[in-house]
Amino acid sequence: MDSAYISKVQKAITYAGEKDRVMINGLAVTFRGNHDTYMVHYDQGRWNCSCGFFPTRGFCSHSMAIDRMLDKMLPKVTSTVS
C-alpha cells in the first residue's frame, strides 16, 4: 500500500478528532421531518429553514437538530426570521 496514502489517512483520523480545527461558514441540507422534507440553510452564523414554523420564531426543530449534530463545529449561532 502507498505510504503517502496511509500517512494521509492517519492525519485525517487525527483531524477528525479535533473539531476545533473546523468552522462551518455555510451549509445547505435536506431534512426529512415527520410531515415533509425541508431545506435548512446555515450561512454566516445564521439558520434558515423552509418549514412553516421557522419564519415566525427564527428557529425550528430541524435547525436545532442539525445544530446539535454539528456540536462545536459551528461559530456562534444566531437565528434569522425570513
Side-chain angles (χ1 to χ4, degrees):
M1 183 162 280
D2 183 352
S3 64
Y5 175 77
I6 293 170
S7 173
K8 294 300 180 186
V9 170
Q10 290 171 333
K11 194 172 191 178
I13 291 168
T14 299
Y15 283 168
E18 299 171 352
K19 289 184 179 182
D20 61 325
R21 288 181 174 270
V22 175
M23 187 180 335
I24 297 171
N25 297 310
L27 176 71
V29 301
T30 302
F31 194 105
R32 285 184 298 117
N34 287 342
H35 306 290
D36 206 346
T37 299
Y38 307 101
M39 290 303 302
V40 181
H41 297 268
Y42 181 83
D43 185 38
Q44 301 296 320
R46 296 184 181 273
W47 285 108
N48 203 332
C49 182
S50 65
C51 74
F53 188 86
F54 191 92
T56 61
R57 299 292 181 101
F59 65 90
C60 64
S61 56
H62 317 110
S63 62
M64 289 189 293
I66 296 171
D67 186 55
R68 291 178 65 99
M69 288 176 197
L70 296 176
D71 194 24
K72 295 180 169 88
M73 294 174 68
L74 297 173
K76 183 181 176 218
V77 176
T78 58
S79 296
T80 182
V81 177
S82 47

